[in-house]
């Protein structure tokens, strides 16, 4: 319930800022996803209940065991197939469902544009190359250093990931941050995120890549701006990140 | 009762030689149920493994194999063949035919399917099977990354399955278009037959694309070519080829089930389908659109936003016709007299499940959501709700047609129990997967927190599995002790399969089914059947129903493929391949020589394919699928070359001249093959034999020039004879040495040799057919029936035209 009321509140804000003129308040991919998911879930459940309920109702109402209906023109064996009337009703319900589906998808499309482009004009947008391999992740920072299975980023910053693979097809994804991109040899897929809460997030592989697929995980460590600066300096010097502060929460 | 050379049903031999559509239908159904049990056992293993979040019974590799085999077995070896068991049994009955157009080819499809399945099973005993998922993404599907030898065998098994599907497709297209009873136009086809007709048209194109993808994959496995390891696009090439097949495949498995739903909804409500013509149009629309949405499976790859948007729009577009179909079924309930029998329960249930599957599919159509759902249990739950909804309808179909097939009634009470357990188990199992959607799919351990959902799913899975024990028990009881069912046990059934005995006699009808007066009548059979005035004179001859060759060809192909896919691994495999290859040739000749009489009716509604002989029609359909295969090879070449840089690409043949000469050689041979036909029509035997030999000679010349060219390009073979011998004895060593250019030297080499090699194999097959014709013609054949000459000629023209496309692409541009 908490979850639902939170979502509802978000939808309230959402109706307006969907157009997201860049420069407005930035929104994380996660919040965009949550809202759209919520709307789809709510409408989908409603439609499902109505349609299936209607089926069950008719199944009950016209059940032969009740013996209430008599067929006025029952089909006979060997007749040439023909349809029964009722086209109007058919098209009406078809029309309604089409409107719902199209509206939903078109409406979600504006969010797609946002998700695709990302907040481009954001200052000092940080770019990290992500290279998948069997079975782990290399993160190559702008300083040229590589960190294996640990991605450290500052809080409230736009981070752009350029994802590729060294061997087979993987998919890089962080469920809590709602980001995902295919990691394909020879290709570079791009995604971005803003982590607005500090903590340790889990990155996983979402495409079967061999016997170690289930273990192909990395930590995404989100720390405050200052901590990040410190950690990054040490990373530049030594080639590996120091341990993050102990009080980070697992997410 | 005389069964025209067919042993009685109690004899095992009958089931090995039968070509009767009802027997084959039963074989399909039984075999597919066997694979259901196999795939289901794998599924339960997976579910057991996922009972706890830690490691349990399967290793990572075993789990990968189990998931892969489960997916492939369920989709290819259970769901489709199960549906085609019904298609085999019911479609000829619904259209008023005696059998399919090509009964022997029908038997061939079945045996190819069975042996393909066996080949798949063998892969587990060869040191590990494929573990790349049913989508077999590249380059994980290659030995470099997944060295299990059995993986190559799986590729061979799937190729064999594609062959089975292609043969079956040709058969059904010709049958449904040309063997309908008089007065039964396309428009009037019962819905199940409509669904099968549209399914086979989709299969024709989709499976050809899969065939091409598998041929290329097979080359990468066996010949070490480098298509899918090519970094500039190899992975994406596979994804495009696979999903171009894969999306239509979703409808291919679902449409037959839809057909069953549309039939049973009418029968058990006592109502005719609401908006029938719109439903048919919607299905035709889906058939066409199914080839235009494949990239919605690739939203997370690097394809650009414009294409994604287009694919998204197409995806909404294809979901709408389904809305209409669903509503049509729901409205058909209204004012009906609904009898809640087992078949109807299953089909009603299937519609409920399909609605849930459809709604959750709309989520995936919204790209922003798809980004998150891709690769998670959301997808797994969604496609099971859709595909296994199809399975649900088909189980309903099994109850529906059980009395027709066996002549016995099953027990309703047990049937309803089966449904109850099935439906509860199903929803526990797959709904739990929706709830654990944040879990990546294809993992064998997961993070705690998903445990409750996974256990719920596992329990559901076992309930679902156990429900089948009730079904098998019910059918077992019914078979031995069930009450006898008469010809039409269901009130308000309409379609013709109910207008004959249960089970129907060997040739289905006493008289000839006829709808010209607007309803089904049986008219007298004319004295002596002829085959539609196609020039054969077989009065008084009775149709044949038995042949040993389909089984033989499938067995020999099985042996050959088992050897080929692991060529070079062990001397045993090399021997198997050579033995299998020659045995297959012998069996093919045996098949061709057998005097098998399967007449076409003289009558029937055939629009728009009236004037065309079934063999020629079949050849055209085959060529259509071959066009898709060559198209896919050429497309693959262009795609790879584009990714590489069109201009930077070096064409392999250093000179175009040999290719140009070869072009003329082939064009001339097209001319001589026409001459052969003309001579056959004129009854000129000498001319016929001479032109066939000339065509054969030109084909040989083509191959000689080709092998000279290959030799010239492949310095390991020193001389032309050496290269030729190497080529024909399949001793590739002198050709593919360790040094110098070879098939695996570069992507340019791979594409060149594989594509022209595919063409050369077509030439070789053509030569075998030409040689066969020439020998037969020498003994006096074809003078009063030039059909075979014409059909081989068609094939030959096609092979020539294919070269006309390959030549500029590989030599000049
Ligand atoms: C008509 C029946 C079925 C069909 C057509 C079918 C199809 C598939 C396919 C295509 C896959 C994907 C394999 C892959 O990821 O490569 C799959 C996965 C799976 N199926 Fe089924 N299936 C069927 C029945 C069942 C049943 C009865 C169960 C459970 C008892 C089940 C449980 C699963 C599970 C657990 C997975 C693995 C999901 C994952 O790890 O990604 N399926 N199925
Ligand atoms: Cu992976
Ligand atoms: Cu699709």
């Amino acid at each position: 319930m908490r979850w639902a009321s939170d979502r509802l509140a978000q939808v309230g804000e959402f109706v307006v800022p969907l157009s997201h003129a860049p420069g407005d308040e930035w929104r994380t991919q996660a919040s965009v996803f949550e809202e759209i998911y919520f709307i789809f879930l709510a409408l989908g459940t409603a439609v499902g209940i109505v349609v299936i309920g209607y089926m069950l109702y008719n199944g009950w109402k016209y059940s032969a065991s009740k013996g209430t209906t008599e067929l006025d023109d029952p089909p006979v064996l060997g007749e040439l197939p023909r349809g029964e009337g009722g086209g109007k009703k058919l098209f009406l319900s078809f029309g309604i469902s089409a409107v719902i589906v199209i509206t939903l998808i078109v409406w979600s499309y504006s969010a797609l544009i946002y998700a695709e482009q990302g907040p481009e004009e954001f200052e000092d947008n940080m770019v990290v190359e992500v290279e998948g391999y069997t079975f782990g992740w290399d993160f190559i920072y702008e300083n040229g250093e590589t960190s294996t299975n640990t991605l450290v980023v500052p809080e409230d910053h736009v981070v752009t990931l350029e994802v590729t693979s060294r061997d087979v097809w993987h998919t890089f994804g962080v469920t809590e941050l709602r980001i995902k991109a295919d990691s394909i040899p020879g290709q570079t897929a791009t995604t971005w995120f803003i982590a607005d809460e500090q903590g340790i997030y889990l990155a996983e592989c979402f495409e079967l890549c061999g016997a170690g697929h289930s273990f192909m995980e990395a930590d995404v460590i989100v720390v405050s701006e200052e901590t990040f600066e410190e950690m990054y300096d040490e990373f530049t010097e030594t080639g590996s990140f120091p341990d993050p502060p102990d009080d980070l929460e697992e997410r | 009762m005389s069964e025209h050379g067919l042993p009685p049903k109690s004899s095992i031999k009958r089931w090995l030689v039968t070509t009767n559509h009802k027997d084959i239908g039963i074989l399909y159904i039984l075999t597919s149920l066997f694979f259901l049990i196999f795939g289901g056992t794998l599924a339960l293993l997976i579910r057991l493994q996922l009972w706890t979040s830690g490691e349990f019974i399967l290793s990572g590799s075993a789990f990968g194999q189990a998931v892969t085999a489960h997916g492939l077995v369920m989709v290819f070896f259970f769901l489709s063949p199960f549906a085609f068991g019904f298609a085999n049994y019911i479609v000829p009955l619904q259209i008023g035919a005696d059998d399919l157009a090509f009964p022997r080819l029908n038997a061939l499809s079945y045996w190819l399917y069975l042996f393909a399945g066996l080949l798949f099973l063998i892969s587990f005993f060869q040191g590990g099977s494929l573990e790349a998922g049913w989508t077999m993404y590249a380059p994980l599907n290659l030995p470099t990354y997944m060295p299990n030898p059995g993986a190559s065998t799986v590729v061979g098994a799937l190729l064999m399955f594609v062959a089975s599907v292609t043969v079956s497709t040709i058969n059904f297209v010709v049958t449904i278009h040309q063997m309908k009873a008089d007065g039964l136009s396309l428009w009037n086809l019962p819905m199940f037959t409509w669904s099968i007709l549209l399914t086979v048209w989709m299969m024709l194109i989709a499976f050809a694309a899969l065939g091409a993808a598998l041929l290329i994959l097979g080359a990468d496995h066996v010949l070490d070519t480098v298509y899918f390891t090519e970094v500039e696009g190899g992975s994406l090439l596979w994804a495009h080829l696979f999903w171009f097949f894969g999306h239509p495949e979703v409808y291919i498995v679902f449409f037959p089930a839809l057909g069953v739903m549309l039939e049973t909804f009418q029968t058990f409500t006592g109502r005719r389908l609401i908006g029938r013509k719109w439903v048919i149009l919607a299905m035709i629309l889906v058939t066409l659109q199914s080839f235009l949405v494949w990239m919605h499976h690739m939203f997370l790859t690097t394809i650009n936003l414009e294409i994604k948007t287009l694919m998204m729009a197409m995806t909404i577009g294809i979901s709408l016709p389904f809305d209409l179909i669903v509503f049509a079924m729901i409205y058909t309930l209204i004012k009906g007299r609904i009898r809640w029998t087992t078949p109807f329960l299953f089909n009603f249930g299937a519609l409920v499940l399909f609605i849930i599957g459809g709604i959750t599919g709309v989520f995936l159509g919204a790209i922003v959501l798809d980004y998150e759902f891709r690769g998670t249990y959301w997808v797994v739950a969604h496609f099971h709700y859709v595909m296994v909804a199809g399975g649900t309808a088909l189980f309903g179909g099994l109850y529906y047609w059980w009395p027709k097939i066996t002549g016995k009634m099953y027990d309703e009470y047990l049937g309803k129990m089966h449904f109850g357990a099935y439906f509860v188990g199903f929803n526990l199992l797959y709904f739990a997967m929706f709830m654990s959607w944040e879990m990546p799919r294809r993992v064998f351990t997961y993070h705690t927190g998903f445990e409750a959902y996974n256990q719920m799913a596992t329990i559901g899975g076992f309930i679902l599995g156990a429900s089948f024990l009730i079904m098998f028990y019910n059918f077992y009881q019914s078979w031995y002790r069930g009450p006898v069912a008469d010809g039409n046990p269901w009130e308000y059934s309409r379609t013709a399969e109910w207008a004959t005995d249960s089970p129907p006699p060997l040739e289905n009808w006493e008289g000839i089914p006829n709808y010209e007066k607007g309803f089904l009548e049986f008219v007298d059979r004319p004295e002596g059947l002829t085959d539609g005035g196609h020039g054969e004179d077989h009065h008084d001859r009775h149709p044949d129903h038995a042949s040993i060759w389909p089984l033989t060809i499938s067995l020999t192909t099985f042996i050959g493929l088992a050897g080929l896919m692991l060529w070079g691994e062990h001397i045993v495999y090399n021997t198997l391949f050579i033995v299998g290859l020659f045995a297959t040739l012998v069996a093919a000749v045996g098949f061709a020589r057998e005097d098998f009489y399967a007449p076409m009716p003289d009558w029937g509604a055939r629009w728009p394919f009236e004037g065309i002989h079934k063999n020629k029609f079949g050849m055209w359909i085959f060529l259509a699928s071959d066009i898709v295969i060559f198209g896919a090879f050429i497309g693959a070449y262009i795609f790879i070359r584009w990714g590489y840089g069109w201009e930077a690409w070096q064409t392999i043949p250093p000179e175009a001249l040999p290719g140009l000469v070869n072009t003329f050689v082939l064009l001339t041979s097209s001319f001589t093959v026409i001459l052969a036909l003309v001579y056959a029509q004129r009854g000129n035997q000498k001319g016929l034999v001479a032109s066939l030999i000339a065509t054969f000679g030109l084909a040989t010349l083509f191959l000689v020039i080709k092998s000279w060219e290959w030799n010239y390009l492949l310095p390991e073979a020193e001389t032309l004879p050496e290269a030729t011998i190497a080529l024909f004895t399949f001793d590739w060593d002198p050709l593919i040495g360790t040094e110098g250019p070879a098939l695996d030297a570069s992507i340019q080499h791979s594409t060149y040799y594989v594509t022209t090699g595919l063409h050369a194999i077509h030439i070789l097959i053509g030569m075998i057919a030409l040689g066969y014709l020439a020998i037969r013609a020498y003994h006096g054949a074809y003078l009063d029936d030039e059909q075979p000459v014409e059909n081989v000629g068609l094939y030959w023209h096609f092979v020539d035209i294919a070269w006309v496309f390959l030549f500029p692409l590989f030599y000049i541009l």
Side-chain angles (χ1 to χ4, degrees):
Chain A
M1 275 293 91
R2 253 305 291 283
W3 182 79
S5 55
D6 281 359
R7 290 301 148 293
L8 264 181
Q10 272 182 339
V11 173
E13 337 170 343
F14 183 46
V15 180
V16 193
L18 230 200
S19 48
H20 283 300
D24 283 3
E25 166 203 352
W26 298 113
R27 314 197 46 221
T28 63
Q29 296 244 40
S31 81
V32 173
F33 170 84
E34 290 298 321
E35 290 158 15
I36 296 183
Y37 179 48
F38 175 71
I39 292 288
F40 271 65
L41 211 53
L43 262 171
T45 313
V47 169
I49 289 177
V50 168
V51 174
I52 294 173
Y54 186 64
M55 268 177 82
L56 291 171
Y57 167 73
N58 282 309
W60 168 78
K61 180 165 173 206
Y62 296 105
S63 174
S65 57
K66 288 178 55 191
T68 42
T69 31
E70 275 315 313
L71 298 172
D72 36 10
D73 176 20
V76 289
L77 179 59
E79 70 178 26
L80 267 187
R82 62 191 150 96
E84 202 108 39
K88 242 194 217 146
K89 210 165 168 183
L90 183 60
F91 274 90
L92 186 66
S93 8
F94 168 66
I96 295 175
S97 74
V99 168
I100 296 180
V101 171
I102 295 175
T103 324
L104 270 181
I105 303 238
V106 171
W107 170 73
S108 76
Y109 187 73
S110 48
L112 171 70
I113 307 273
Y114 179 68
E116 281 284 305
Q117 292 171 343
E120 264 166 39
E121 287 156 40
F122 209 85
E123 310 279 282
D124 52 27
N125 188 350
M126 174 175 152
V127 181
V128 182
E129 267 176 60
V130 182
E131 192 172 74
Y133 61 90
T134 46
F135 300 98
W137 302 101
D138 273 350
F139 301 98
I140 303 152
Y141 281 76
E142 281 157 331
N143 62 8
E145 296 292 342
T146 301
S147 157
T148 297
N149 290 337
T150 310
L151 172 65
V152 184
V153 295
E155 173 184 27
D156 286 331
H157 245 258
V158 180
V159 181
T160 302
L161 298 178
E162 290 178 350
V163 185
T164 184
S165 162
R166 206 183 294 166
D167 38 46
V168 301
W169 188 318
H170 312 271
T171 300
F172 179 81
V174 186
T175 303
E176 285 310 311
L177 297 172
R178 305 292 184 217
I179 53 167
K180 204 173 278 168
D182 276 349
S183 144
I184 309 172
Q187 309 280 325
T188 303
T190 311
T191 187
W192 62 273
F193 67 96
I194 306 170
D196 54 6
E197 259 174 296
Q198 298 187 20
I200 303 179
Y201 297 81
L202 176 69
E204 291 166 295
C205 177
F206 286 85
E207 185 58 69
L208 181 60
C209 53
H213 167 62
S214 307
F215 301 122
M216 191 167 156
E217 295 175 348
D219 284 332
V220 180
I221 298 175
V222 182
V223 291
S224 69
E225 182 98 42
E226 306 85 73
T227 320
F228 178 76
E229 296 294 332
E230 285 165 26
M231 290 176 74
Y232 192 71
D233 285 344
E234 187 168 341
F235 176 55
T236 312
E237 258 166 54
T238 67
S240 67
F241 278 110
D243 285 340
D246 299 334
D247 55 351
L248 282 184
E249 236 181 285
E250 300 246 353
R251 297 191 183 268
Chain B
M1 192 178 74
S2 144
E3 299 247 295
H4 314 296
L6 203 52
K9 284 188 183 157
S10 53
S11 137
I12 296 225
K13 183 168 171 228
R14 174 188 179 110
W15 300 99
L16 302 180
V17 298
T18 182
T19 63
N20 181 267
H21 73 99
K22 295 184 291 300
D23 293 350
I24 308 272
I26 292 171
L27 288 172
Y28 260 107
I29 292 172
L30 289 177
T31 310
S32 66
L33 288 175
F34 165 76
F35 282 108
L36 168 70
I37 295 171
F38 178 63
T41 310
L42 289 172
L44 291 180
L45 265 182
I46 300 174
R47 288 303 343 157
L48 268 185
Q49 168 70 29
L50 295 175
W51 179 259
T52 74
S53 56
E55 286 181 67
F56 195 23
I57 47 174
L58 299 173
S59 68
S61 161
F63 187 86
Q65 292 178 45
V67 167
T68 307
H70 163 72
L72 289 169
V73 164
M74 285 300 203
V75 174
F76 286 140
F77 293 99
F78 162 60
L79 207 47
S80 255
F82 189 43
F84 271 77
F86 297 130
N88 259 287
Y89 204 102
I90 301 300
V91 164
L93 290 169
Q94 286 199 334
I95 65 177
D98 293 351
D99 205 323
L100 290 180
F102 306 102
R104 279 193 309 168
L105 289 187
N106 193 25
L108 181 64
S109 318
Y110 168 72
W111 290 109
L112 284 173
Y113 152 57
L114 176 70
F115 281 106
L118 294 180
L119 199 54
F120 196 120
L121 294 185
I122 286 180
S123 72
F124 284 93
F125 303 98
Q126 290 175 320
S129 179
L130 185 75
E131 44 174 300
W134 90 285
T135 47
M136 300 174 276
Y137 270 11
L140 183 63
N141 55 10
L142 294 177
T144 329
Y145 296 104
M146 201 238 331
N148 301 350
S152 304
T153 306
V154 171
V155 177
L158 295 178
L159 268 171
M160 201 165 164
F161 182 76
V162 170
S164 154
V165 168
T166 309
V167 174
S168 173
T169 301
I170 296 169
N171 214 343
F172 275 94
V173 169
V174 175
T175 304
I176 299 179
H177 281 296
Q178 291 201 323
M179 294 177 79
K180 298 186 290 299
D182 269 326
L184 194 64
S185 65
L186 266 183
W187 203 237
N188 287 331
L189 284 179
M191 291 313 296
F192 180 67
T193 302
W194 253 117
S195 73
I196 295 296
L197 179 62
L198 294 173
T199 305
V200 291
W201 276 111
M202 281 190 282
M203 291 206 310
L204 185 70
I205 294 168
F207 272 85
L210 177 66
L214 290 168
L215 282 173
I216 297 177
L217 182 59
D220 275 8
H221 272 254
V222 177
L223 306 176
D224 297 330
T225 53
V226 295
Y227 269 90
F228 295 127
T229 36
E230 169 62 18
V231 276
E232 300 302 333
S235 296
L236 283 184
L237 172 66
W238 175 267
H240 280 294
L241 286 173
F242 182 84
W243 286 116
F244 182 76
F245 149 79
H247 195 84
E249 171 68 2
V250 176
Y251 303 118
I252 289 170
V253 298
F254 191 71
F255 262 32
L258 188 61
V260 175
M261 284 155 84
L262 292 165
E263 292 293 352
T264 48
F265 263 70
Q266 299 185 77
T267 298
F268 294 104
T269 59
R271 296 262 296 158
R272 296 175 194 85
L273 182 61
I274 299 284
R276 181 177 193 272
K277 70 173 173 233
W278 297 110
V279 172
I280 296 175
L281 285 175
M283 288 170 71
I284 295 176
L285 202 63
V286 169
T287 304
L288 297 174
Q289 278 183 300
S290 68
F291 293 99
L292 302 174
V293 296
W294 80 94
M295 279 184 259
H296 70 202
H297 296 271
M298 301 165 66
F299 280 151
L300 278 183
T301 64
T302 46
I303 52 179
N304 63 32
L305 184 64
E306 288 74 28
I307 296 182
K308 282 183 193 169
T309 307
L310 183 71
M311 285 293 149
M312 184 186 87
M314 291 306 243
T315 305
I316 313 173
I318 204 166
S319 76
L320 298 181
F322 277 112
D323 288 3
L324 187 136
I325 297 171
V326 166
F327 284 119
M329 275 194 272
I330 295 177
Y331 288 137
T332 301
L333 298 170
I334 294 176
K335 299 211 181 90
R337 274 180 67 80
I338 301 173
R339 279 138 307 131
W340 290 95
T341 56
T342 309
F344 188 65
L345 276 171
F346 270 93
N347 279 278
F348 189 89
L351 186 56
V352 171
L353 301 176
F354 182 65
I355 290 171
I356 299 175
I359 290 175
T360 53
V362 173
F363 286 53
L364 294 170
I367 302 180
V368 220
L369 296 185
D370 179 78
Y371 282 172
E372 299 319 315
F373 290 137
R374 174 71 60 219
T376 69
Y377 261 86
W378 184 279
V379 175
V380 180
H382 156 69
F383 72 67
H384 279 98
Y385 260 94
V386 176
M387 279 208 278
V388 193
T392 310
L394 292 175
F395 292 123
L398 187 55
Y399 283 102
Y400 183 53
W401 283 310
W402 174 266
K404 175 60 39 187
I405 295 174
T406 62
K408 298 285 182 64
M409 239 9 223
Y410 60 86
D411 185 271
E412 270 298 344
Y413 181 73
L414 286 178
K416 284 176 184 159
M417 266 181 45
H418 174 205
F419 175 74
Y422 180 99
F423 201 72
V424 170
F426 184 110
N427 285 296
L428 267 182
L429 166 62
Y430 297 121
F431 209 80
M433 292 189 187
F434 277 127
M435 314 227 266
S436 59
W437 76 264
E438 287 177 324
M439 199 174 127
R441 66 192 277 207
R442 296 161 169 170
V443 293
F444 64 98
T445 108
Y446 49 89
H447 289 268
T448 46
F450 295 119
E451 237 154 3
Y453 296 136
N454 274 290
Q455 296 187 352
M456 180 173 151
T458 301
I459 293 170
F462 276 87
I463 296 177
L464 182 64
S467 76
F468 283 93
L469 298 178
I470 309 178
M471 179 183 92
F472 285 118
Y473 174 76
N474 194 355
F475 285 151
Y476 172 84
Q477 285 286 326
S478 159
W479 176 253
Y480 286 105
R481 281 179 277 281
V484 172
D486 67 7
N488 182 16
W490 307 121
E491 205 182 349
Y492 307 132
S493 62
R494 306 148 323 280
T495 43
E497 76 265 30
W498 304 109
T500 179
D501 297 342
S502 292
L506 187 68
E507 281 161 14
N508 296 347
W509 325 97
E510 295 299 326
I512 296 170
N514 183 307
Y515 280 93
E516 274 178 329
K517 297 210 182 107
F519 50 88
L520 178 62
E521 283 184 308
F522 292 96
V523 301
D524 287 343
R525 284 187 187 251
E527 284 299 299
L529 294 165
T530 62
D531 86 333
H534 292 304
E536 284 169 48
D537 188 17
H538 283 294
H539 285 271
D540 303 332
R541 176 161 181 195
H542 208 94
D544 291 317
H545 296 292
S547 166
I548 191 63
W549 294 112
L551 167 60
T552 316
I553 293 184
S554 308
L555 177 65
T556 55
T557 311
F558 166 78
I559 295 171
L561 260 180
L564 173 64
M565 296 319 291
L566 290 177
W567 177 265
E569 289 277 314
H570 192 280
I571 184 77
V572 171
Y573 289 116
N574 299 15
T575 320
L576 279 179
F577 172 58
I578 292 171
V579 170
L581 182 71
F582 284 99
T584 305
L585 287 180
V586 173
V589 171
F591 186 96
R593 285 185 54 95
E594 186 178 41
D595 179 19
F596 188 91
Y597 182 51
M600 288 293 270
D602 258 338
W603 51 86
R606 292 184 179 173
W607 181 88
F609 301 104
E610 289 99 347
I612 175 168
H613 189 283
K614 67 167 180 180
N615 291 352
K616 194 165 158 187
F617 190 20
M619 179 55 87
W620 276 113
I621 303 294
F622 168 73
L623 292 182
S625 86
D626 222 12
I627 288 174
V628 177
I629 292 195
F630 270 103
F633 270 78
I634 291 174
Y637 169 72
I638 293 175
F639 185 84
I640 290 272
R641 182 165 169 178
W642 202 265
Y644 187 92
W646 190 267
E647 292 303 329
W649 183 275
Q650 288 162 308
T651 43
I652 287 301
E655 294 159 42
L657 190 63
L660 187 66
V661 173
N662 255 347
T663 311
F664 286 113
V665 170
L666 274 194
L667 289 179
T668 318
S669 74
S670 253
F671 176 69
T672 53
V673 92
I674 292 177
L675 270 188
L677 179 61
V678 172
Y679 280 123
Q681 279 162 344
R682 292 203 194 137
N684 181 337
Q685 188 193 5
K686 262 195 201 141
L688 171 62
V689 176
S691 10
L692 285 173
I693 292 181
T695 315
F696 188 90
L698 287 165
T700 316
L701 180 60
F702 176 91
L703 285 186
V704 168
I705 294 176
K706 179 114 255 169
S707 36
W708 172 78
E709 189 188 285
W710 281 30
N711 161 58
Y712 175 65
L713 298 174
L714 300 161
E716 295 285 317
E718 297 289 334
T719 61
L720 172 60
E722 203 184 305
T724 317
I725 292 169
L727 194 64
F728 284 95
T729 54
F730 294 90
D731 175 12
W732 298 91
D733 282 352
L735 292 178
I736 322 164
T738 42
E739 294 152 37
L743 279 95
D744 59 352
S746 73
I747 183 65
Q748 287 93 336
H749 287 81
S750 293
T751 50
Y752 170 74
Y753 288 116
V754 168
T755 316
T756 57
L758 175 79
H759 182 259
I761 290 175
H762 274 79
I763 296 265
L764 271 175
I765 293 172
M767 284 170 67
I768 294 169
L770 286 166
Y772 175 81
L773 288 186
I775 294 169
R776 294 284 310 270
Y778 179 75
H779 292 290
Y782 311 125
L783 294 177
D784 44 29
D785 174 20
E786 69 279 357
Q787 271 292 327
V789 180
E790 189 178 355
N791 293 334
V792 171
L794 267 181
Y795 171 82
W796 194 254
H797 293 317
F798 168 75
V799 175
D800 295 353
I801 293 171
W803 179 257
V804 172
F805 281 92
L806 297 188
F807 171 62
L809 269 177
F810 285 91
Y811 287 76
I812 300 174
L813 289 178

